Amino acid sequence: MSVDLLSTGQLDIPHPRRRLPVLGDVIGVNPRTPVQDSMRYAAELGPIFERKVLGTRFVLVSDPDIVAELGDETRFRKHLAPAVAALRGIAGDGLFTAYSEEPNWRRGHELLMPAFTKSAMRSYHETMVDVAGELTQHWDRRLEPTARVDVSTDMTKLTLETIGRAGFSYSFDSFERDRPHPFVEAMVRALSHAQLMASPIGRLTLGRRRSQHEADVAYLAEVVDEVIRSRRDSSEAPPEDLLELMLRAERENDPNRIDELAIRHQVITFLVAGHETTSGALSFALYYLSRHPEVLAEAQAEVDAVWGTERDHRPAYEQVAKLRYVRRILDESLRLWPTAPAYAREARRDTTLLGRHRMSEGDWMLVLIPALHRNPVWGPDPDRFDPDRFLPERVRTRPAHVYKPFGTGERACIGRQFALHEAVLVLGTVLHRYDIAGDPDYRLRVQERLTLMPTRFDVTLTRRP
Ligand code: HEM
């Protein structure tokens, strides 16, 4: 059901000034940058506004009080925004794209949740260190004595390799390839396709890309089937990973077992959700580090203090969470560019928002996370990069629900601890080993493909003594 608050007069929501009859709010917007267009609207129109294109209506919110209410699980639940619903052709009722009432959501959640507790991260640590080591070997081979590297491409190699191995004991041989694995290319096209499908104007631009999309969907399924097949064919004792949790439940007739197709949907969900957003988060963090030498120096001093100055040091599990400043850099990067930039919430039944505005059952809104993260509650200069915003004493003074990079409630990100451990470990590894410098002329360009990613962003690396 679409949001109909405006037509019922329940909520007086501003909309862009230059609205055209029939077409709606199409002037000055681009179906390839819906988030950045919406961020501009939020700055102009305030913390709740409406966008309408060819009769399709979106309500976008970034007001902390509204976001807090939408987080009330008794009254609201996850809504599949059009761009997420468009991914159902790839990920079906996998965790990310399932409707909350679908039985496979609860089963998948119960089955896989134990693999994502904070303490479960210990079991992924060695794999994460191995893959970070492959990244540094890949970079070291290119030093003469400096090397210029394409950050997003290499971060994507790293995160795909990590989730492939940690989750499914499967290697994409990411660092042995000159080009990204075709899985990544097909996935990026499929995500961009879903984003265009969500926009009535975007749909008009799809044209011949539809057949490419069908080929991409088939290819992604093929890769996943190969991951599952290689496990089933293996004569070795199965490793304890996400795939084994699902296959064992099937073998042992566990009440939460899911069938073959649902396993495929979960594998593809984790391969995609488990690397694309973390790669973006790492890339934005490295962008800000390359722009802020004082932050870089402080972070390097922290890593040296915790890990020592032996540059080949292999960090222990406990030495990752001790990088408190590095973690603040990551938190602040995810504040400015939350790489999964929106989530949608719908009313479970008729309700009243902020005690004033009636919403009918099924009415939904999009939380525009980058705008929430720039709300005045963050201070007078919310665009400024300042990791110390995340000092514990400053976090305590802010209201709850102003920081939501991992979504909300029971449908919040299951991989949060995984992403945080991996990202802090990788940033620590990079900062420990290299000095990094960005091109001073580079202007941040953010590519939107459902997720956010800096593009054409290189850094120059030099080995630290
Ligand atoms: C910095 C990295 C990450 C960010 C910013 C992020 C963000 C998010 C957000 C905002 C949601 C909620 C979406 C919604 O409500 O519609 C979500 C859900 C999800 N994320 Fe993440 N994520 C990250 C990393 C990961 C990783 C590493 C994994 C897996 C290893 C993962 C797996 C998932 C899954 C499966 C869901 C759906 C959960 C459910 O509905 O039950 N994410 N993520």
Side-chain angles (χ1 to χ4, degrees):
M1 194 185 298
S2 66
V3 173
D4 222 0
L5 297 165
L6 199 74
S7 62
T8 56
Q10 301 299 336
L11 202 52
D12 184 16
I13 307 174
H15 64 74
R17 255 175 295 142
R18 291 182 294 167
R19 176 171 278 184
L20 300 177
V22 185
L23 290 178
D25 307 314
V26 293
I27 298 176
V29 298
N30 180 345
R32 295 195 173 275
T33 52
V35 173
Q36 289 162 92
D37 291 345
S38 294
M39 287 167 69
R40 274 193 298 278
Y41 281 140
E44 184 189 322
L45 301 170
I48 178 163
F49 64 94
E50 182 204 54
R51 291 183 69 175
K52 204 169 169 185
V53 180
L54 289 172
T56 304
R57 178 184 287 153
F58 297 86
V59 173
L60 294 104
V61 294
S62 52
D63 176 280
D65 292 333
I66 296 184
V67 172
E69 278 207 36
L70 293 175
D72 177 353
E73 287 288 326
T74 63
R75 293 160 59 211
F76 298 94
R77 65 180 168 195
K78 171 164 170 157
H79 175 83
L80 292 198
V84 177
L87 289 175
R88 297 247 325 167
I90 302 172
D93 57 4
L95 279 186
F96 189 76
T97 41
Y99 294 96
S100 295
E101 63 280 10
E102 279 180 303
N104 276 350
W105 179 74
R106 178 68 58 198
R107 287 190 198 128
H109 181 80
E110 297 290 331
L111 209 54
L112 298 173
M113 197 58 209
F116 287 100
T117 58
K118 205 165 181 181
S119 56
M121 293 309 118
R122 193 179 281 276
S123 64
Y124 305 121
H125 176 76
E126 295 304 326
T127 303
M128 290 179 179
V129 177
D130 287 346
V131 179
E134 285 174 30
L135 170 80
T136 57
Q137 281 167 23
H138 173 71
W139 282 353
D140 282 355
R141 283 196 292 273
R142 301 177 53 191
L143 291 170
E144 339 176 293
T146 65
R148 204 172 153 127
V149 299
D150 173 339
V151 173
S152 304
T153 300
D154 285 346
M155 290 303 117
T156 302
K157 284 185 176 181
L158 171 128
T159 53
L160 177 66
E161 195 58 29
T162 305
I163 186 64
R165 286 201 223 167
F168 306 102
S169 311
Y170 185 86
S171 173
F172 287 87
D173 299 327
S174 302
F175 292 106
E176 277 136 56
R177 297 167 183 276
D178 293 333
R179 298 197 46 187
H181 193 288
F183 181 89
V184 172
E185 294 174 325
M187 177 206 70
V188 168
R189 279 194 302 267
L191 294 180
S192 305
H193 185 272
Q195 178 170 294
L196 289 174
M197 282 292 287
S199 144
I201 300 286
R203 280 198 288 277
L204 298 176
T205 68
L206 283 173
R208 281 187 303 139
R209 284 194 218 104
R210 281 178 216 279
S211 55
Q212 174 71 61
H213 181 64
E214 279 161 26
D216 287 336
V217 172
Y219 175 72
L220 292 172
E222 208 178 285
V223 172
V224 170
D225 287 348
E226 160 59 19
V227 172
I228 300 173
R229 198 178 323 114
S230 76
R231 171 65 53 85
R232 288 196 196 277
D233 292 350
S234 167
S235 51
E236 287 167 26
E240 274 298 316
D241 60 10
L242 299 183
L243 185 53
E244 172 58 11
L245 283 177
M246 295 186 277
L247 295 176
R248 188 191 300 143
E250 194 187 38
R251 282 196 307 272
E252 296 179 355
N253 237 358
D254 185 290
N256 288 318
R257 71 190 174 280
I258 53 176
D259 67 18
E260 185 86 23
L261 180 62
I263 293 177
R264 182 208 267 184
H265 287 148
Q266 299 298 15
V267 176
I268 199 152
T269 297
F270 278 88
L271 286 180
V272 176
H275 91 277
E276 169 78 356
T277 41
T278 312
S279 162
L282 281 163
S283 303
F284 282 113
L286 287 167
Y287 164 75
Y288 285 111
L289 281 160
S290 75
R291 288 282 144 148
H292 294 271
E294 71 295 350
V295 175
L296 175 67
E298 190 168 341
Q300 285 176 323
E302 178 183 66
V303 187
D304 287 359
V306 179
W307 293 7
T309 50
E310 166 54 56
R311 300 286 166 226
D312 288 326
H313 174 72
R314 194 177 164 91
Y317 173 76
E318 292 74 15
Q319 287 181 312
V320 175
K322 288 194 176 134
L323 301 181
R324 302 307 304 163
Y325 188 64
V326 174
R327 169 64 191 272
R328 292 205 287 279
I329 292 168
L330 183 69
D331 289 343
E332 175 70 344
S333 305
L334 278 170
R335 180 184 71 83
L336 287 164
W337 295 105
T339 48
Y343 60 89
R345 303 286 289 171
E346 68 178 30
R348 289 181 186 268
R349 63 189 84 85
D350 296 358
T351 187
T352 307
L353 196 61
L354 292 185
R356 297 196 293 278
H357 309 296
R358 279 217 313 278
M359 282 177 85
S360 300
E361 179 183 342
D363 283 351
W364 60 278
M365 295 181 172
L366 268 174
V367 175
L368 182 61
I369 311 173
L372 172 72
H373 290 176
R374 287 169 174 75
N375 183 274
V377 73
W378 289 94
D381 194 1
D383 284 315
R384 192 169 53 89
F385 176 76
D386 174 10
D388 286 345
R389 292 180 200 272
F390 287 90
L391 281 168
E393 58 273 24
R394 288 179 64 182
V395 172
R396 277 196 293 275
T397 62
R398 280 193 295 267
H401 302 285
V402 291
Y403 187 61
K404 289 280 175 192
F406 293 99
T408 200
E410 62 177 13
R411 301 297 302 271
C413 182
I414 196 172
R416 177 170 179 266
Q417 297 300 341
F418 188 100
L420 293 173
H421 191 82
E422 179 183 10
V424 173
L425 165 66
V426 171
L427 287 174
T429 304
V430 171
L431 297 171
H432 196 227
R433 197 169 185 85
Y434 306 103
D435 275 317
I436 61 174
D439 173 355
D441 294 330
Y442 174 75
R443 296 286 302 267
L444 181 63
R445 291 173 56 137
V446 178
Q447 188 191 15
E448 299 186 24
R449 48 207 208 192
L450 278 193
T451 62
L452 304 178
M453 184 71 83
T455 52
R456 296 187 214 149
F457 163 54
D458 294 343
V459 290
T460 302
L461 304 169
T462 319
R463 275 295 295 270
R464 293 181 65 204

